[in-house]
Amino acid sequence: MSLHKKGMMFVLSSPSGAGKTTLTKKLAKNNTNFKISVSHTTRTPRTNEINGEDYFFVKKEEFNSLVENNSFFEYAKIFNNFYGTLKEPVLNFLNEKKDVLFDIDWQGTQQLKKLSQLSLVTFFILPPNIKTLKERLLNRHKGQEKLIEDRMKKFNEEIAHWTEYDHVVINDDLEECYNKIYQIIQQEKKGIKEKRNIDLITKKVEELTK
Ligand code: ADP
Ligand code: 5GP
């Protein structure tokens, strides 16, 4: 039984390619109480992406007018594109006691954390190693060497933000990682906070960034 009158918010962030989108979708697919917050973005859709499902793909002008109307909970510029989370759909889900999943970066997470009235739990996902991360990016962006290089360059900057998150989970085996996150969510919904193993994570981050 949840301690919370409204739904809770669960954020998943990671360096690009570590698996947060896959994990977010798997959580929503397996649990009808989880709803994904579909972001707005000015980036162009990838071939397999569906407007309104993966993102709302909008022109810069539309994004700017949403910013001006104060419609976003948070927004950020990432890899030369803008990304943002609308307030209204999230508040509707929370009022319906749905838990909302966010696949957003550290800048957006920092902005959400400032809104103290929200029940927010944050996860940072790490890849098992750099070789695997590159393979995953290559798999997702076949032939786009420059794009992969740009995303890898951002890796150290992004990973430095792990300390700002409640939980840090390594995505090696997908099923294992999913189960770990799901178990933490169940605990958090009961008001139980599991402590991070700081030493272990520090060591892992050192290994990934050396
Ligand atoms: P992110 O949203 O963090 O950028 P994605 O979820 O898009 O990353 O994952 C990047 C790629 O890696 C995708 O092609 C996805 O299918 C694959 N992937 C994600 N997690 C795993 C895993 N545990 N094992 C193998 N492949 C994975
Ligand atoms: P991608 O272009 O690979 O889908 O996403 C690039 C980055 O943007 C990822 O780190 C993703 O989590 C982040 N992102 C997606 N939507 C939002 C959003 O609404 N706000 C913020 N701050 N980041 C987002």
Side-chain angles (χ1 to χ4, degrees):
M1 186 54 193
S2 170
L3 290 174
H4 301 268
K5 287 198 193 82
K6 290 184 179 178
M8 289 178 72
M9 297 165 72
F10 297 97
V11 168
L12 275 76
S13 297
S14 78
S16 187
K20 61 192 167 304
T21 309
T22 308
L23 287 157
T24 309
K25 285 188 174 170
K26 197 170 162 68
L27 283 164
K29 189 169 166 238
N30 293 351
N31 306 279
T32 49
N33 203 50
F34 291 157
K35 297 292 169 195
I36 294 178
S37 162
V38 180
S39 298
H40 279 59
T41 184
T42 58
R43 116 158 135 63
T44 44
R46 296 179 189 137
T47 44
N48 59 336
E49 285 180 325
I50 300 167
N51 189 30
E53 207 172 285
D54 296 286
Y55 283 105
F56 292 100
F57 296 97
V58 294
K59 297 252 175 298
K60 226 172 176 172
E61 296 72 35
E62 191 181 335
F63 196 96
N64 287 341
S65 82
L66 289 166
V67 171
E68 276 160 29
N69 290 332
N70 198 21
S71 303
F72 286 123
F73 259 140
E74 62 76 30
Y75 69 94
K77 189 179 184 190
I78 309 161
F79 306 118
N80 281 327
N81 292 302
F82 287 91
Y83 296 81
T85 305
L86 281 189
K87 287 177 192 168
E88 199 187 331
V90 173
L91 290 173
N92 288 342
F93 283 143
L94 295 176
N95 285 330
E96 290 164 17
K97 293 194 177 185
K98 300 288 183 197
D99 296 316
V100 189
L101 304 170
F102 298 83
D103 170 344
I104 62 173
D105 83 330
W106 58 269
Q107 304 176 75
T109 308
Q110 284 185 352
Q111 293 171 53
L112 289 186
K113 278 170 75 176
K114 287 188 189 138
L115 306 168
S116 57
Q117 77 276 23
L118 303 173
S119 294
L120 187 72
V121 179
T122 60
F123 290 88
F124 198 81
I125 315 295
L126 293 176
N129 54 60
I130 297 295
K131 185 169 168 274
T132 306
L133 181 71
K134 261 193 194 153
E135 281 166 8
R136 288 185 189 164
L137 283 171
L138 275 167
N139 182 34
R140 197 177 67 187
H141 304 277
K142 287 184 183 70
Q144 293 175 260
E145 299 293 339
K146 170 80 175 70
L147 186 146
I148 293 166
E149 205 183 295
D150 287 348
R151 294 206 164 205
M152 288 306 295
K153 271 189 204 151
K154 275 263 195 187
F155 179 79
N156 282 8
E157 184 190 319
E158 288 176 320
I159 211 170
H161 290 277
W162 74 266
T163 52
E164 297 158 23
Y165 286 75
D166 299 318
H167 305 282
V168 182
V169 185
I170 299 168
N171 179 21
D172 191 353
D173 178 76
L174 184 65
E175 215 55 44
E176 231 172 76
C177 182
Y178 169 84
N179 287 333
K180 178 80 193 155
I181 294 171
Y182 184 75
Q183 179 218 328
I184 295 172
I185 289 178
Q186 296 314 310
Q187 296 287 89
E188 286 278 2
K189 283 183 72 67
K190 290 182 200 152
I192 302 167
K193 276 222 174 288
E194 202 180 288
K195 271 211 173 139
R196 296 179 306 179
N197 188 335
I198 304 271
D199 291 345
L200 202 79
I201 306 160
T202 307
K203 223 171 131 205
K204 185 75 197 171
V205 170
E206 275 170 11
E207 184 192 305
L208 287 166
T209 50
K210 74 177 174 215

